[in-house]
Amino acid sequence: MYELPKEIDSFDEAKRNSFIAMKELKETGQDIVGVFCTYSPSELIYAAGAIPVGLCATSDKPIQYAERDLPKNLCPLIKASYGFAISDTCPFFYFSDMILGETTCDGKKKMYELMNDIKDTYVMQLPQTSDTKASFDLWKSEIVRLKEKFEEKFNVEITKEKLQESIKIGNIERKNLMEYFELGKLVPPAVKGVEMNSTQDGFSFIFDRKDKNEKLIARTKELRENWEKNLKGTKTNRPRILVTGCPVNGVREKILKTIEDAGGDIVAYDNCSGIREKQEMIDETKDPIDAITEKYLKISCSVMSPNGRRLDDIRTICEEFQVDAVIEVVLQACHTYAIESTSVKKYVNNDLKLPYLYIESDYSMLDFGQVQTRIQAFFEML
Ligand code: BJ8
């Protein structure tokens, strides 16, 4: 029998419900794989008969525990992930049979070494560049190694057919999410940016795939109908904002809500809390291992070097979503995004001829006033 931690009340209702759903799943013998990153190939997890769950990493509270082992000047996402694990306050971590990590940034990969002392943490070696044959071969061998790990751990055979089926369902899910995100293309946008962010966050915590897809399709339909009826043709002078950079679920209240309260409409996210991984489907005509390898290697995270694909993505999004300005959100001590922001700013200002704002922050509310002032000043300038 599984217990739920006492801290469960400190999570919002949707998360509490998903903890209970996961407890019930565990009691039927369901295998669970905890993940932290978009590079985790969920198709392999489903093909192994397991369920992937995004682990808690977006709160300031567990950071005090993490700082006993980790340096203070480390990214809040890494500290929160480890803090939840070590303080045993994330039920998803507790229910996971194993953790899947990747060698993305230095902080994350070194943190996984410590996490492995708490729970079986398997780390995939991610290449640092995405366009060479050598990186494809390395990543493919890592996908095969992960397949073997799952086969041994969960005592299953991952067949080609299971992978093909898993790819097919994953693509349907991506398509549904893209249709929802594309509501941001409408003028004025049919959905608020804060809602987009919390919907995607919540989507990963519903484990019944059929149910969650039906809910998403229904919400997309409802928002589109509301737009047709009440918003279509209305004029607005709210600037259309693209948020780019680090994942932003941990700064939703502090930054995303402030952008919208200050008069902007977030119409798209170029980050892992948005369409970055959803835009491109997995090729269903290829060998499934090759197709999965190719797909995940194309994710334009700043851990890749060089990472020109990200600039191309930003251009496409700015054009398709009619973006007026770009706001880059970087989590404190995230060196890859912080350094890459220099190229992003240049590209946005000089090539796209759009205004750009850089915000570096953490999960605490200490700099809330400062963030608010900078966003308001940016909009006044617009
Ligand atoms: S694919 S964005 S989820 S690595 S913010 S922990 S990079 S120091 S989160 Fe990320 Fe995967 Fe990339 Fe997406 Fe490190 Fe930076 Fe922290 Fe980061």
Side-chain angles (χ1 to χ4, degrees):
M1 280 297 120
Y2 294 89
E3 300 279 323
L4 284 164
K6 287 187 222 73
E7 292 75 9
I8 188 170
D9 287 339
S10 64
F11 291 90
D12 62 31
E13 198 190 337
K15 283 233 173 90
R16 282 203 303 271
N17 290 340
S18 64
F19 296 151
I20 292 162
M22 175 151 285
K23 178 175 180 285
E24 287 166 1
L25 278 173
K26 279 305 294 174
E27 285 169 355
T28 66
Q30 175 63 56
D31 293 318
I32 310 285
V33 177
V35 297
F36 283 112
C37 177
T38 313
Y39 282 108
S40 299
S42 57
E43 289 73 16
L44 240 69
I45 302 175
Y46 283 118
I51 293 182
V53 59
L55 297 171
C56 316
T58 58
S59 159
D60 198 34
K61 282 189 204 136
I63 287 183
Q64 51 178 314
Y65 306 109
E67 286 180 349
R68 291 180 199 161
D69 294 341
L70 298 174
K72 282 197 171 29
N73 64 340
L74 186 66
C75 156
L77 192 152
I78 304 174
K79 287 193 285 187
S81 310
Y82 183 74
F84 269 117
I86 202 162
S87 59
D88 206 12
T89 47
C90 171
F92 294 141
F93 186 88
Y94 168 75
F95 290 130
S96 294
D97 296 277
M98 62 175 279
I99 308 302
L100 175 60
E102 298 79 13
T103 53
T104 50
C105 61
D106 287 352
K108 250 189 189 171
K109 72 187 176 205
K110 296 307 285 182
M111 180 274 283
Y112 289 141
E113 292 175 15
L114 304 183
M115 191 172 265
N116 191 40
D117 292 339
I118 313 170
K119 187 162 281 200
D120 179 12
T121 302
Y122 180 90
V123 179
M124 299 177 79
Q125 302 294 319
L126 182 73
Q128 306 221 321
T129 186
S130 53
D131 293 325
T132 65
K133 162 105 176 43
S135 51
F136 178 88
D137 291 345
L138 168 60
W139 189 231
K140 181 175 173 180
S141 70
E142 286 300 289
I143 300 275
V144 171
R145 196 167 66 92
L146 179 67
K147 173 178 167 289
E148 289 164 1
K149 165 78 184 178
F150 285 155
E151 288 179 326
E152 190 210 316
K153 175 99 185 169
F154 301 128
N155 195 20
V156 289
E157 191 194 349
I158 302 180
T159 61
K160 194 173 172 181
E161 291 68 36
K162 283 184 190 168
L163 282 171
Q164 282 167 332
E165 181 61 15
S166 181
I167 288 174
K168 215 158 118 191
I169 300 173
N171 277 346
I172 294 172
E173 235 165 66
R174 282 189 189 92
K175 194 180 125 277
N176 290 338
L177 274 163
M178 277 310 291
E179 276 171 15
Y180 174 76
F181 283 129
E182 281 173 356
L183 293 170
K185 284 186 182 173
L186 298 171
V187 184
V191 58
K192 285 274 170 208
V194 172
E195 176 189 318
M196 268 193 239
N197 176 260
S198 48
T199 300
Q200 196 202 14
D201 193 19
F203 194 71
S204 56
F205 300 116
I206 306 174
F207 308 113
D208 181 334
R209 292 181 96 182
K210 189 168 168 281
D211 177 47
K212 73 175 171 183
N213 275 285
E214 281 171 5
K215 282 193 175 117
L216 186 68
I217 293 168
R219 182 65 182 148
T220 306
K221 188 167 171 266
E222 182 185 22
L223 287 165
R224 192 169 271 278
E225 283 170 2
N226 177 56
W227 182 84
E228 292 282 348
K229 218 165 109 201
N230 302 315
L231 298 171
K232 192 176 175 180
T234 57
K235 293 261 174 287
T236 165
N237 57 2
R238 291 171 70 89
R240 298 168 64 85
I241 305 297
L242 165 66
V243 170
T244 186
C246 292
V248 285
N249 297 354
V251 289
R252 186 181 302 144
E253 285 300 306
K254 182 164 70 176
I255 300 181
L256 306 184
K257 192 164 175 304
T258 301
I259 292 173
E260 300 208 311
D261 288 350
D265 280 333
I266 300 173
V267 293
Y269 294 91
D270 160 57
N271 56 27
C272 287
S273 321
I275 64 179
R276 180 172 290 157
E277 187 276 323
K278 311 291 168 220
Q279 303 170 83
E280 201 172 302
M281 303 295 134
I282 301 189
D283 191 334
E284 295 179 27
T285 62
K286 287 189 177 161
D287 167 74
I289 293 285
D290 280 353
I292 292 171
T293 306
E294 195 176 86
K295 154 77 191 168
Y296 284 91
L297 208 49
K298 281 190 188 156
I299 294 170
S300 56
C301 173
S302 63
V303 295
M304 289 293 168
S305 175
N307 189 28
R309 188 171 278 124
R310 177 156 172 233
L311 300 183
D312 296 341
D313 286 350
I314 290 177
R315 171 182 288 277
T316 310
I317 299 172
C318 285
E319 286 169 2
E320 291 183 356
F321 287 75
Q322 302 178 54
V323 165
D324 297 313
V326 175
I327 298 183
E328 176 142 37
V329 178
V330 172
L331 295 176
Q332 217 166 60
C334 174
H335 300 319
T336 57
Y337 277 102
I339 295 171
E340 199 165 280
S341 71
T342 301
S343 325
V344 173
K345 179 178 192 295
K346 255 192 224 156
Y347 185 75
V348 170
N349 284 161
N350 301 345
D351 292 66
L352 303 181
K353 309 265 181 264
L354 292 175
Y356 167 96
L357 176 70
Y358 176 85
I359 300 176
E360 189 169 315
S361 192
D362 61 11
Y363 289 170
S364 76
M365 288 304 272
L366 293 175
D367 60 348
F368 178 57
Q370 202 190 349
V371 165
Q372 208 176 24
T373 310
R374 292 196 59 217
I375 291 171
Q376 283 164 354
F378 182 64
F379 284 144
E380 273 165 31
M381 186 255 321
L382 289 179

